[in-house]
Amino acid sequence: MARPLNDEFIGSKGVKKVEFVRIITEALYSLGYNKTAAYLEHESGVPCHSSKVTLFIQQILDGCWDESLASLHKIGLADETSVKLACFIILQQKFLELLDGEKVMDALKTLRTEIAPLSVNTNRVRELSSLILSPSYWVNIWSSQRPVMIPEKRLLQLVEQALDLQRVNCLFHNSLNEETSLNADHRCGRDNIPSKTVQILHDHCNEVWYLKFSKNGKYLDSSSSDHSAIIWEVNSDGRVLLKHRLTGHQRPVSSVSWSPCDDQILTCGVEEVIRRWDVSSGECLHVYEKRLVGTVSCSWSPDGKYIFTGLTDKSVTIWDLDGKEVDRLEGQKTIKISDLQMTNDGKLVTVFKDDTILILDRESGAEKWIKEDETIISFILSEDNKLLLVSLVNEELHLWSIEGQIGLISKYRDHKRSRFIVRACFGGVQQAFIASGSEDSQVYIWHKRSGELIETLGGHSGAVNCVSWNPVDPHMLASASDDRTIRIWGLNHVDTKSNSCISYCNGSSSETHTHN
């Protein structure tokens, strides 16, 4: 004899026991374990569907369309849109059945008085009406769908959502291995975050201002107040070696920008010129400059065919690769110290006032703004272009959503900035972390979702101006400092050559020394 469930709720979150049993039953049916599912229905006293739903399903299977419509309204679905859509599907099948039985006038009546007033799919109504004139084509109409009150594989979906939520909420989840056990709550250790200096690069002879990994993770480019930039190559073993030193600028190099295919790079001289370089050979391919004005920022178009440059006269100029000026955005579109980036769909993102970021759709002319209460120092786009991370003069980082309606998501604090441009970045698996330089010589890392500060990395002896997280290797982070070095950070439990060695690279020969 069936034993009914006595307790209404189970677990600490108030899960309804009847719903829980029904989802398990549906999962068993969907897996083909029909006898087991039927036995669970019998033993628990909880049918997979209520009596009303069971009657409704049987009426659909028997083709009792009018009766099924009455039962549908008795089920008590709260979503009116879903009810109307279900009515539309049922009545459509009724219409086709009448048409197939050559009851044309009855079919026309159903179309006019029952289907059309629902106002669900006007295009479909027109298609159905045309079938009255050409009934032989009715077989091409959508087939009816059996209502399933519990979605198929619902239990599996719920379990997957629970596992995803555990990974998202884990402060230290930074693994490419997505395997997660159902037998225990998911927890990663702190050692999944790059926090150990595994290499120090000494090849710049003055402050290192900027650095950026290529999108494929194979290269790192750095720029310095020593008027040069360096392209570094990341070997398969994780060691970073000097590939090319890029010289020719007459002033400090403030930033770099990788081409969409990572085969070329732009270097931006401070109020000077933009140089375009070939990554493979290290050759300078072109110099972009305008008389009487200097450059402050640069970026590539998404297709790699054009170069955008912010100028000291606050305009933005667009060049083709050969150096021909193809367009100019006049008026105040940037400021003297500014970042400039392009989204994958061609929108221009720039600081056009001290406290305001402009997002300009050049095709439509549509503009959006991010208005801050403090002076903006720098910003960076997320990999999917949905988020913008803004560094402010008041020692805060603000995370903004720029997809659709602009909205502030989170704030990150504790790093230090009083005089210099300090840059931050996204990083880790699915860009789950925020990292930033700091004037107190440390690197700060936050969990993006929770905003919690999870790591403070010490080692530099000067202000940390910029950080970059390898987009392919979530366990590799680079930082650039006024102490003239670049530090490569890796995992604590991964040894390079010995437990107490740090690799120092000097010059193109990349000699290795040990530090105890």
Side-chain angles (χ1 to χ4, degrees):
M1 181 177 177
R3 180 169 56 88
L5 294 171
N6 297 320
D7 300 326
E8 186 177 357
F9 298 100
I10 59 174
S12 61
K13 304 297 183 182
V15 176
K16 291 184 179 180
K17 186 180 286 188
V18 169
E19 292 183 353
F20 188 70
V21 171
R22 281 177 174 159
I23 287 175
I24 295 174
T25 304
E26 189 282 326
L28 291 171
Y29 276 124
S30 68
L31 292 170
Y33 302 137
N34 296 338
K35 292 182 179 179
T36 304
Y39 185 80
L40 177 58
E41 286 188 273
H42 173 74
E43 184 179 23
S44 66
V46 179
C48 186
H49 300 293
S50 69
S51 58
K52 292 180 180 178
V53 172
T54 301
L55 174 62
F56 171 72
I57 293 174
Q58 190 59 50
Q59 289 168 337
I60 292 292
L61 295 175
D62 294 341
C64 302
W65 309 120
D66 293 335
E67 292 86 347
S68 66
L69 286 172
S71 296
L72 176 63
H73 290 286
K74 293 178 182 178
I75 290 174
L77 295 178
D79 186 353
E80 184 178 348
T81 301
S82 297
V83 173
K84 290 178 67 174
L85 180 59
C87 288
F88 184 88
I89 294 172
I90 293 170
L91 288 169
Q92 178 182 251
Q93 190 61 35
K94 176 185 176 181
F95 169 84
L96 294 174
E97 190 174 281
L98 290 170
L99 203 60
D100 187 47
E102 298 184 356
K103 299 178 180 179
V104 177
M105 295 307 297
D106 289 339
L108 182 60
K109 180 180 179 182
T110 295
L111 183 64
R112 286 178 174 176
T113 64
E114 296 182 276
I115 296 178
L118 292 173
S119 301
V120 170
N121 189 334
T122 55
N123 290 333
R124 203 63 191 158
V125 171
R126 283 194 290 269
E127 291 177 5
L128 292 176
S129 63
S130 67
L131 295 179
I132 295 176
L133 300 176
S134 304
S136 60
Y137 291 106
W138 77 269
V139 292
N140 294 321
I141 288 298
W142 296 339
S143 62
S144 62
Q145 301 179 23
R146 178 176 66 89
V148 180
M149 307 315 293
I150 298 176
E152 292 185 11
K153 299 183 180 180
R154 181 57 176 161
L155 180 59
L156 178 60
Q157 291 173 359
L158 291 174
V159 171
E160 289 175 340
Q161 289 172 13
L163 294 178
D164 286 342
L165 185 61
Q166 288 190 40
R167 285 191 287 263
V168 167
N169 288 332
C170 176
L171 290 180
F172 305 106
H173 182 70
N174 193 33
S175 172
L176 295 173
N177 181 5
E178 290 298 318
E179 291 185 9
T180 307
S181 173
L182 295 175
N183 297 325
D185 288 344
H186 173 77
R187 284 190 179 89
C188 291
R190 187 181 294 271
D191 56 1
N192 270 349
I193 306 300
S195 56
K196 174 184 177 182
T197 299
V198 296
Q199 202 173 350
I200 302 177
L201 311 177
H202 280 277
D203 292 83
H204 282 292
C205 59
N206 212 328
E207 299 166 352
V208 189
W209 286 0
Y210 192 94
L211 78 171
K212 182 74 173 177
F213 279 104
S214 59
K215 300 171 190 64
N216 59 20
K218 295 180 180 179
Y219 303 102
L220 173 69
D221 194 78
S222 59
S223 67
S224 168
S225 61
D226 65 6
H227 302 185
S228 77
I230 294 177
I231 298 176
W232 310 85
E233 187 165 12
V234 181
N235 281 0
S236 57
D237 62 359
R239 283 184 53 76
V240 179
L241 302 177
L242 190 150
K243 182 176 179 66
H244 298 297
R245 185 185 298 276
L246 310 180
T247 59
H249 284 284
Q250 303 302 308
R251 304 194 66 177
V253 183
S254 60
S255 63
V256 301
S257 180
W258 287 93
S259 67
C261 296
D262 290 331
D263 58 342
Q264 297 180 45
I265 196 167
L266 301 176
T267 56
C268 180
V270 174
E271 299 185 22
E272 189 209 18
V273 300
I274 303 290
R275 289 178 175 266
R276 178 166 60 91
W277 308 83
D278 178 75
V279 172
S280 177
S281 66
E283 176 188 0
C284 181
L285 301 176
H286 203 87
V287 178
Y288 304 86
E289 60 182 324
K290 285 181 70 73
R291 292 185 60 190
L292 305 178
V293 294
T295 58
V296 295
S297 55
C298 61
S299 187
W300 295 80
S301 64
D303 58 9
K305 295 180 179 180
Y306 301 97
I307 291 167
F308 288 71
T309 60
L311 303 176
T312 53
D313 64 0
K314 301 181 180 180
S315 68
V316 173
T317 295
I318 299 98
W319 317 76
D320 66 13
L321 296 187
D322 294 329
K324 179 183 177 182
E325 185 176 327
V326 297
D327 199 1
R328 179 179 171 86
L329 308 180
E330 297 183 339
Q332 183 158 329
K333 292 296 185 291
T334 187
I335 59 176
K336 194 170 183 179
I337 299 175
S338 174
D339 287 327
L340 180 73
Q341 287 193 255
M342 297 292 297
T343 63
N344 294 334
D345 58 358
K347 294 183 178 66
L348 176 71
V349 185
T350 179
V351 181
F352 87 118
K353 290 183 181 179
D354 287 344
D355 59 357
T356 308
I357 290 175
L358 168 67
I359 303 174
L360 172 64
D361 187 328
R362 293 183 57 240
E363 286 191 7
S364 67
E367 296 181 343
K368 293 181 180 180
W369 297 272
I370 293 177
K371 182 71 166 62
E372 292 280 10
D373 294 328
E374 302 284 344
T375 298
I376 295 168
I377 302 301
S378 63
F379 69 80
I380 187 169
L381 278 167
S382 63
E383 190 175 72
D384 60 9
N385 290 183
K386 294 180 180 180
L387 302 174
L388 194 70
L389 183 65
V390 182
S391 177
L392 300 172
V393 72
N394 67 344
E395 300 181 325
E396 288 186 355
L397 297 172
H398 288 183
L399 183 63
W400 292 84
S401 170
I402 61 172
E403 185 182 38
Q405 187 173 358
I406 300 290
L408 179 62
I409 298 176
S410 189
K411 297 180 181 181
Y412 311 91
R413 301 179 179 89
D414 288 328
H415 68 296
K416 304 296 183 281
R417 197 225 69 84
S418 61
R419 296 181 295 161
F420 307 130
I421 295 177
V422 173
R423 299 180 185 277
C425 72
F426 297 90
V429 171
Q430 296 182 341
Q431 295 202 319
F433 304 97
I434 301 292
S436 177
S438 177
E439 288 185 20
D440 62 1
S441 307
Q442 301 188 97
V443 175
Y444 287 74
I445 301 177
W446 296 265
H447 184 249
K448 184 176 71 178
R449 182 182 177 89
S450 70
E452 183 171 339
L453 179 66
I454 60 174
E455 284 287 0
T456 305
L457 312 182
H460 283 290
S461 60
V464 180
N465 301 310
C466 187
V467 291
S468 182
W469 212 305
N470 192 311
V472 175
D473 182 356
H475 299 152
M476 177 179 283
L477 175 70
S479 57
S481 173
D482 278 356
D483 65 11
R484 305 184 179 190
T485 71
I486 296 168
R487 282 183 176 250
I488 307 298
W489 305 86
L491 300 185
N492 257 319
H493 61 276
V494 177
D495 293 329
T496 48
K497 297 210 172 190
S498 70
N499 291 331
S500 60
C501 289
I502 295 176
S503 297
Y504 286 80
C505 290
N506 294 276
S508 58
S509 62
S510 299
E511 299 177 39
T512 300
H513 306 275
T514 61
H515 174 70
N516 294 308

